[in-house]
Amino acid sequence: MSEQPPAFQFATAAQQDEASTLGMWTFLATEVLFFGALLAGYSAYRITHPAEFAEAARHTKIVLGTANTAVLLTSSAFIATAVEMTNAGRRRAAALCLALTAALGIAFIAIKGWEYSLEYGEHLVPALNFDADRYGGIAQLFFLFYFFATGLHALHLAIGIALVGGLAGKSVSDRPPETITVRMIGLYWHFVDVVWIFLFPLIYLVGRNQ
Amino acid sequence: MMHGSGTETYLNAGTSLRSWLLTTDHKRIALLYFASITFFFFVGGIAATMIRLELVTPAGDLVSADGYNRLFTMHGIIMVWFFLIPSIPATLGNFMVPMMIGARDLAFPRLNLLSWYLYIIGGLITLTALLLGGVDTGWTFYEPFSTAYSNGYVVLTILGIFISGFSSVLTGLNFIVTIHKLRAPGLTWYRLPVFIWSTYSTSLILVLATPVLAMTLLMLTAERVLHVGIFDPALGGDPLLFQHMFWFYSHPAVYIMILPSMGVVSEIVPCFARKSLFGYKFVVWCSIAIGAIGFLVWGHHMFVSGQSLYASIVFSFLTYAVAVPSAIKVFNWVATMHKGWIHFDAPMLYAFGFIGLFTMGGITGLFLAALAVDVHVTDTYFVVAHFHYIMVGGAVMGYFGGLHYWWPKITGRLYPEYWARFAAILTFFGFNLTFFPQYVLGVLGMPRRYQVYPPEFQIWHVLSSAGASILAVGYALPLFYFAWSILKGPRAPANQWNATGLEWLTRSPPPPHNFSTTPEVVRGPYCYDLDGNPQPQAAHV
């Protein structure tokens, strides 16, 4: 519950917190449909061209992808802990967990950047240097979706890192963030994590061993 | 009733430009929207006027063929995204949702202001693109034409639509949270006015369909800018996928336009029949059902596209299904009037117009839902007439009805009743004269989006253009008498129409935070005793 008096349009602080929570969930519903449209398009082509997509997917870097999955899941554990620490009023512990969350987010983006540079070196980037003669036109479609989806995910993650980093700094300042703010940003972080949990198997795993 | 010059209202709470442009008062933001969408309505109207002028003669003489393509594209884009989608939700909804549920504002007032700015930025970007030379794709941006061949400002136009999409999402989100969390004590879900239910259903569509359009437009932009194949078959893509994704948004978008109007009519009809709404729960659940089933009918735009016949059969069936809750509503409005004490004020005349024109548009929608008939009339004027009966005859009639109904509350002034009745009747006749001939044209085989046509169609086009000139007068009249009303209109009482909703319990125009004390709701909406006296939802405020 908020420590400050509620805004004028609310009767109680509890009502305000409930409104914020519902607002965030509604926003995440929008985001689900946003990514959902992309994954629906990807899946449609995957079904139309199963062999070509499976072949193209073998060029993705599964070790780096798996490492990133571990990094992101760990970051979610830290932000969940940060929410609990904030609830318990343990501000320094909360700040530490938030800082670790943001650091892991940055690590994810660094690994992703490394992965992108490897793919650039192998002429796998559509519109920049894709070698269609070597990989085929359908593989280009696959990599277009790959960069589109992982790029949008990374953009969402970057926004999350900025938010969480800001919270970490604020947690040790004179005016610590409200519990509800930490919880809201935590929800957003988990959402970005969940998007990756769908992207990882769809891109890296499906059909890899056929 | 108190309306001394010393009384503080939301209108005189601050008069500087800054107090308007930085306001977070939902009522002022509603007026900002009202001014902006009125501007876009007339911009879209100018394009329509040019189209109707061009079509008076069979030859192409007013504009070039390419210019004609750009005109109807501009008309469609402006009217759909910058007038119809925001029309009732962002103006009347913004103003009335907090008032009708006894709240002091929306849940997120600053987000509400941001929403208006996003709309304005998006609108100006798209308008710039259209004025620089425009787009020739039609408002549907069909692939692969829009990426491979179109020579217009496709990306800039889309950028504007993309940005204004965020405005839609934020408005919908704000309404959902407000309706869930800010209802006055005693205002249970089944005591909510139907306008609130309709706005709720509309908001769900705004929040769940708009992001799909956003993603589709992003993918289209990627294909056009980067020259990589997503939808273009020459580059390995599938243009049908684009149509699926586009209509997944754009069919529910029709319900974004019509559901709020149905909500307005559900307010007006009981009020002017002095009778409780017949079958309240049916009307409520039909609003939700239309929103839900509306997500599952998009494939009826693709019956001749080459999609699977079995998919077409399912979409055809579901399209018939979505007509059922719509028809239930029409029967309920008519049953509400039965043995009522009907008052023929301007809002009621607009509601009559809505019911008649919507029924007409709905029934011709069933013709189009039939697979075999659709093959004959696909992409003809029959389709044009059908969706104008829904989106203009229905949605715009409801918008004007609501505007007249709530005008005394919003401005604190009365409008000249007889001029308004005249405008309502003129609009009804002008509308029918404009669009009924287009049904005939469609059945005779006149395709849509053609500038040049065989001479035997001319009589129907002349009739349609004549009707359009009458319709234009019907739409322009309110501009004048509303302006007069603001300057010289008599002061309005708190409850001009003997209505029952919470919004009528507070002053006209309302004070900055709507109510002096939070209303305690004691009954559902639309309660009238046998003498036709209103039983307000709350005792006093």
Side-chain angles (χ1 to χ4, degrees):
Chain A
M1 205 177 286
S2 303
E3 293 81 3
Q4 289 164 6
F8 77 93
Q9 70 272 32
F10 298 105
T12 63
Q15 186 192 27
Q16 179 165 5
D17 283 4
E18 282 177 26
S20 307
T21 309
L22 181 60
M24 181 48 95
W25 278 107
T26 311
F27 171 71
L28 295 184
T30 296
E31 288 273 38
V32 166
L33 267 291
F34 184 65
F35 278 99
L38 182 63
L39 293 183
Y42 170 81
S43 306
Y45 286 134
R46 179 126 211 162
I47 290 164
T48 331
H49 311 287
E52 292 91 336
F53 264 54
E55 176 55 35
R58 283 190 201 104
H59 295 289
T60 55
K61 317 293 168 227
I62 191 165
V63 176
L64 294 181
T66 310
N68 253 347
T69 309
V71 167
L72 210 53
L73 287 176
T74 314
S75 78
S76 259
F78 276 121
I79 202 158
T81 316
V83 173
E84 290 306 312
M85 292 296 123
T86 313
N87 280 341
R90 296 175 59 185
R91 284 171 47 193
R92 293 197 64 83
L96 179 67
C97 288
L98 288 168
L100 283 169
T101 306
L104 286 172
I106 292 167
F108 179 97
I109 289 190
I111 296 172
K112 197 77 221 159
W114 182 19
E115 209 177 326
Y116 282 167
S117 72
L118 290 177
E119 280 143 1
Y120 183 82
E122 292 173 27
H123 296 274
L124 283 170
V125 187
L128 283 184
N129 71 350
F130 195 86
D131 189 345
D133 296 334
R134 188 159 128 211
Y135 301 106
I138 302 299
Q140 177 163 355
L141 195 58
F142 172 87
F143 273 96
L144 194 64
F145 274 98
Y146 164 79
F147 281 104
F148 214 103
T150 56
L152 269 179
H153 174 261
L155 178 68
H156 278 76
L157 188 61
I159 293 168
I161 292 167
L163 292 173
V164 173
L167 274 187
K170 230 179 145 190
S171 292
V172 288
S173 73
D174 297 338
R175 291 188 56 204
E178 307 234 352
T179 320
I180 184 77
T181 314
V182 182
R183 217 162 62 212
M184 292 296 94
I185 293 176
L187 270 179
Y188 174 81
W189 190 274
H190 291 310
F191 165 76
V192 177
D193 196 354
V194 167
V195 170
W196 182 257
I197 289 175
F198 277 88
L199 289 182
F200 177 62
L202 278 174
I203 289 172
Y204 294 87
L205 300 184
V206 178
R208 195 161 192 112
N209 287 327
Q210 279 166 7
Chain B
M1 315 295 166
M2 300 180 303
H3 200 287
S5 52
T7 318
E8 194 187 33
T9 72
Y10 80 101
L11 289 170
N12 64 19
T15 48
S16 64
L17 186 63
R18 186 188 153 86
S19 77
W20 279 91
L21 292 181
L22 294 179
T23 183
T24 54
D25 185 332
H26 67 101
K27 301 182 287 302
R28 286 189 164 214
I29 296 170
L31 293 191
L32 291 176
Y33 265 115
F34 175 60
S36 342
I37 70 162
T38 303
F39 168 74
F40 281 107
F41 181 62
F42 282 96
V43 172
I46 289 168
T49 307
M50 305 270 287
I51 293 169
R52 283 318 322 165
L53 278 176
E54 169 62 63
L55 291 174
V56 170
T57 59
D61 27 31
L62 184 67
V63 292
S64 67
D66 192 41
Y68 185 79
N69 293 344
R70 283 156 208 267
L71 268 181
F72 70 68
T73 303
M74 174 166 169
H75 171 68
I77 289 174
I78 295 279
M79 287 304 202
V80 168
W81 279 299
F82 299 101
F83 173 68
L84 283 166
I85 297 274
S87 61
I88 294 184
T91 56
L92 300 174
N94 228 327
F95 200 105
M96 289 303 160
V97 165
M99 308 268 319
M100 292 171 92
I101 66 171
R104 291 156 69 85
D105 206 309
L106 289 174
F108 309 116
R110 277 179 299 173
L111 207 61
N112 195 20
L113 182 65
L114 174 66
S115 187
W116 180 71
Y117 275 103
L118 289 171
Y119 166 76
I120 285 296
I121 294 168
L124 291 180
I125 290 176
T126 295
L127 195 61
T128 307
L130 297 178
L131 294 180
L132 281 175
V135 197
D136 57 353
T137 58
W139 77 281
T140 47
F141 296 107
Y142 264 23
E143 288 268 3
F145 180 79
S146 56
T147 57
Y149 306 102
S150 169
N151 59 359
Y153 289 85
V154 176
V155 172
L156 198 60
T157 308
I158 281 178
L159 178 68
I161 296 168
F162 184 79
I163 293 173
S164 72
F166 285 95
S167 159
S168 288
V169 168
L170 295 182
T171 300
L173 185 154
N174 224 335
F175 286 160
I176 290 173
V177 174
T178 304
I179 294 168
H180 267 280
K181 297 297 176 191
L182 261 60
R183 303 193 310 277
L187 190 54
T188 57
W189 283 89
Y190 279 139
R191 284 178 176 176
L192 285 175
V194 172
F195 182 71
I196 299 296
W197 277 100
S198 311
T199 307
Y200 185 76
S201 186
T202 307
S203 302
L204 289 177
I205 305 174
L206 284 171
V207 163
L208 297 178
T210 314
V212 175
L213 177 74
M215 178 54 75
T216 311
L217 295 181
L218 265 187
M219 288 159 81
L220 191 159
T221 305
E223 174 165 304
R224 187 172 166 94
V225 174
L226 304 174
H227 304 290
V228 286
I230 299 178
F231 300 120
D232 185 350
L235 300 166
D238 183 353
L240 272 197
L241 181 67
F242 174 82
Q243 294 187 23
H244 279 295
M245 293 178 71
F246 179 82
W247 290 113
F248 184 87
Y249 162 82
S250 292
H251 194 79
V254 175
Y255 299 104
I256 297 175
M257 303 172 202
I258 198 71
L259 275 168
S261 273
M262 293 171 151
V264 169
V265 170
S266 305
E267 297 302 307
I268 292 174
V269 168
C271 176
F272 290 87
R274 301 289 192 271
K275 206 163 150 265
S276 185
L277 183 67
F278 184 86
Y280 168 84
K281 285 188 182 175
F282 273 91
V283 178
V284 160
W285 282 104
C286 287
S287 302
I288 302 296
I290 290 171
I293 304 173
F295 268 105
L296 306 173
V297 301
W298 78 87
H300 67 214
H301 293 269
M302 301 166 61
F303 284 162
V304 300
S305 70
Q307 76 176 353
S308 139
L309 177 63
Y310 301 104
S312 289
I313 291 171
V314 173
F315 281 123
S316 170
F317 171 76
L318 287 166
T319 306
Y320 282 111
V322 81
V324 174
S326 308
I328 290 176
K329 285 188 168 192
V330 171
F331 293 132
N332 278 300
W333 294 321
V334 175
T336 304
M337 288 186 244
H338 179 62
K339 292 190 175 172
W341 184 21
I342 296 179
H343 294 62
F344 294 91
D345 295 292
M348 190 61 155
L349 296 184
Y350 277 110
F352 287 157
F354 174 95
I355 295 171
L357 300 178
F358 173 75
T359 303
M360 185 77 181
I363 288 172
T364 50
L366 293 179
F367 295 11
L368 293 165
L371 292 175
V373 180
D374 185 69
V375 172
H376 179 62
V377 288
T378 285
D379 272 344
T380 67
Y381 265 78
F382 191 86
V383 176
V384 176
H386 156 70
F387 71 70
H388 280 91
Y389 264 79
I390 298 290
M391 282 149 63
V392 185
V396 180
M397 275 284 182
Y399 173 63
F400 273 85
L403 211 53
H404 285 79
Y405 178 59
W406 281 304
W407 184 263
K409 176 56 62 185
I410 293 171
T411 62
R413 303 275 188 163
L414 300 179
Y415 59 80
E417 185 58 40
Y418 283 93
W419 277 105
R421 292 184 195 182
F422 177 62
I425 293 167
L426 202 63
T427 308
F428 182 78
F429 281 104
F431 179 87
N432 278 305
L433 188 55
T434 310
F435 290 103
F436 196 85
Q438 298 189 7
Y439 279 128
V440 182
L441 275 171
V443 173
L444 293 176
M446 167 89 200
R448 66 191 289 197
R449 294 177 168 175
Y450 273 61
Q451 177 203 26
V452 178
Y453 56 86
E456 67 258 33
F457 292 141
Q458 187 175 14
I459 177 64
W460 302 105
H461 274 301
V462 169
L463 283 175
S464 181
S465 294
S469 64
I470 297 173
L471 192 57
V473 176
Y475 285 146
L477 270 178
L479 266 191
F480 294 101
Y481 63 71
F482 278 155
W484 177 86
S485 160
I486 289 171
L487 298 173
K488 302 206 164 157
R491 302 276 178 190
N495 189 356
Q496 166 68 10
W497 309 114
N498 286 325
T500 58
L502 297 180
E503 77 271 30
W504 302 102
L505 290 174
T506 190
R507 297 195 306 262
S508 304
H513 291 324
N514 302 347
F515 303 95
S516 41
T517 55
T518 304
E520 297 269 351
V521 178
V522 292
R523 61 173 71 85
Y526 324 120
C527 291
Y528 288 90
D529 67 17
L530 290 175
D531 297 324
N533 298 314
Q535 311 288 306
Q537 283 197 268
H540 59 85
V541 291

